[in-house]
Amino acid sequence: MTESKTNATSPELAMEPHRALWLEANPWIAGVLAFLIPGAGHFYQGRWFKGTIYFFCILGTFLGGMKLGDGMVVYHKADTRLPTVWYATQLLTGAVALPAYFQGLRAAQPANRPLELSSISGTLTLPFEGELKAIGPGREGVGGPAKGTLTITSERTAFSYELGGRFVGTVGDRQVDLPLGGSRFLLAPQIGGGSGRAIEVSIGRNPNDHPDLQRLLIGSTPRSFMDSFEAPPDQQSLNDVYRRLGARYDMAVVFTLIAGLLNLFAIWDCVEGPAYGFGDEQPRPAPSAENAAATIATAATSANSATTSESRAAKPPQAVLKT
């Protein structure tokens, strides 16, 4: 009822189109902002409600997938120059997925390789968490969950390098102080996927052990956030996460892909504007029979006036005779 009164009293207001706020903002700037941060393009256009929905839904889906997959679902492979289809789709989420590209470049550097005994100079001290694994006769009751600190040195021999140092910590519920020895040493590259850097070292022989008994510390040492966030995992790390998470890992990847596709629609909406307007446009009034007749009469009068004016303009002026 109110709308009808408004249309009847001020038809000019009803005929005036809605002021398109999204056209006043540069659509390309809005598109770039929407790509970098989901919802930012809509904030730039003054569309706060829709921008808030995109911001929380898209980033929530992306970060939820990252958390579900232990942070190893978004990465750019170090051995490829162009992004894979999976990463290109995840990259549509914007700035939150961009670090993976640069982490892939960092991981591809020659210096980022597994550490060898010959490369250790001085003393290397690392926190350790994993297990003490015993192999061979007399292994019963020797191994178990292990946690502590590794102090690693490299000792040069006549033909190679030998592991030195100690492990101080716990194995099961026992406090231990074990010497390192032998040549078994593995430390994963500094830059890689996962918060843990795989490490494997051999324990020196104990005179009381069986001659064929071998003891190994197999586990991981923490990797910094800067070296692990969206960095490409090696094949062993991928195998481990698949074994631990199973279908949960695949679901985590799907979540990040969905986030990228959702942001693609958000970018399109910023560049092209609202698909159906803002919803508060005033409708044009439906012409009644009286209004239609009046409109026709007015149009006919205007046409007659125009014809008369044209006739007068075309008629030559009369000569005036003077007597």
Side-chain angles (χ1 to χ4, degrees):
M1 182 64 70
T2 303
E3 182 180 342
S4 300
K5 289 182 179 180
T6 303
N7 294 338
T9 56
S10 56
E12 295 84 2
L13 180 61
M15 299 291 288
E16 183 182 355
H18 187 282
R19 187 181 182 189
L21 298 177
W22 58 274
L23 286 178
E24 295 182 358
N26 189 310
W28 298 110
I29 294 179
V32 172
L33 290 175
F35 164 71
L36 292 176
I37 304 176
H42 292 79
F43 295 151
Y44 168 71
Q45 294 175 331
R47 301 158 67 189
W48 293 94
F49 179 74
K50 201 167 189 178
T52 302
I53 292 177
Y54 278 132
F55 179 82
F56 284 103
C57 290
I58 294 176
L59 288 182
T61 302
F62 182 87
L63 296 177
M66 288 277 290
K67 178 65 175 177
L68 195 65
D70 283 359
M72 287 194 287
V73 294
V74 180
Y75 57 88
H76 171 57
K77 290 185 177 181
D79 56 349
T80 59
R81 297 185 60 184
L82 297 177
T84 61
V85 175
W86 299 105
Y87 175 58
T89 306
Q90 295 166 336
L91 189 58
L92 290 172
T93 312
V96 71
L98 277 175
Y101 181 78
F102 299 101
Q103 291 285 59
L105 298 180
R106 291 183 65 207
Q109 295 176 357
N112 187 53
R113 60 180 185 270
L115 187 65
E116 300 176 353
L117 281 175
S118 59
S119 303
I120 299 177
S121 58
T123 302
L124 185 64
T125 303
L126 299 172
F128 173 85
E129 185 172 0
E131 67 170 334
L132 175 63
K133 188 174 183 180
I135 304 172
R139 62 179 180 271
E140 293 79 8
V142 175
K147 185 175 182 180
T149 302
L150 283 168
T151 303
I152 301 172
T153 60
S154 178
E155 301 174 2
R156 185 179 180 87
T157 62
F159 302 101
S160 62
Y161 288 86
E162 186 173 345
L163 183 66
R166 307 192 73 81
F167 169 71
V168 179
T170 60
V171 175
D173 56 356
R174 309 186 312 272
Q175 291 287 336
V176 296
D177 184 352
L178 303 175
L180 306 183
S183 59
R184 181 65 177 174
F185 174 78
L186 172 66
L187 181 60
Q190 178 181 347
I191 303 170
S195 58
R197 187 178 178 187
I199 185 171
E200 183 176 328
V201 295
S202 56
I203 301 296
R205 293 188 177 276
N206 189 326
N208 298 325
D209 291 340
H210 191 282
D212 295 330
L213 178 66
Q214 297 181 5
R215 293 179 294 173
L216 297 173
L217 281 171
I218 302 175
S220 63
T221 186
R223 180 181 272 138
S224 69
F225 177 81
M226 294 297 296
D227 291 334
S228 62
F229 180 69
E230 294 186 359
D234 54 27
Q235 190 59 48
Q236 180 181 351
S237 299
L238 283 178
N239 293 339
D240 291 341
V241 75
Y242 262 116
R243 183 174 60 253
R244 289 187 294 104
L245 303 181
R248 174 181 154 189
Y249 183 83
D250 295 326
M251 186 180 299
V253 174
V254 171
F255 276 14
T256 58
L257 297 177
I258 291 176
L261 295 176
L262 286 177
N263 202 40
L264 178 61
F265 289 117
I267 297 169
W268 180 262
D269 186 66
C270 273
V271 176
E272 291 298 322
Y276 301 104
F278 285 85
D280 55 354
E281 294 82 358
Q282 295 292 337
R284 296 176 181 271
S288 61
E290 296 178 359
N291 291 339
T295 302
I296 294 173
T298 303
T301 303
S302 300
N304 292 336
S305 300
T307 304
T308 303
S309 299
E310 292 177 359
S311 300
R312 290 176 180 175
K315 185 178 180 179
Q318 297 291 334
V320 180
L321 299 179
K322 293 185 179 179
T323 58

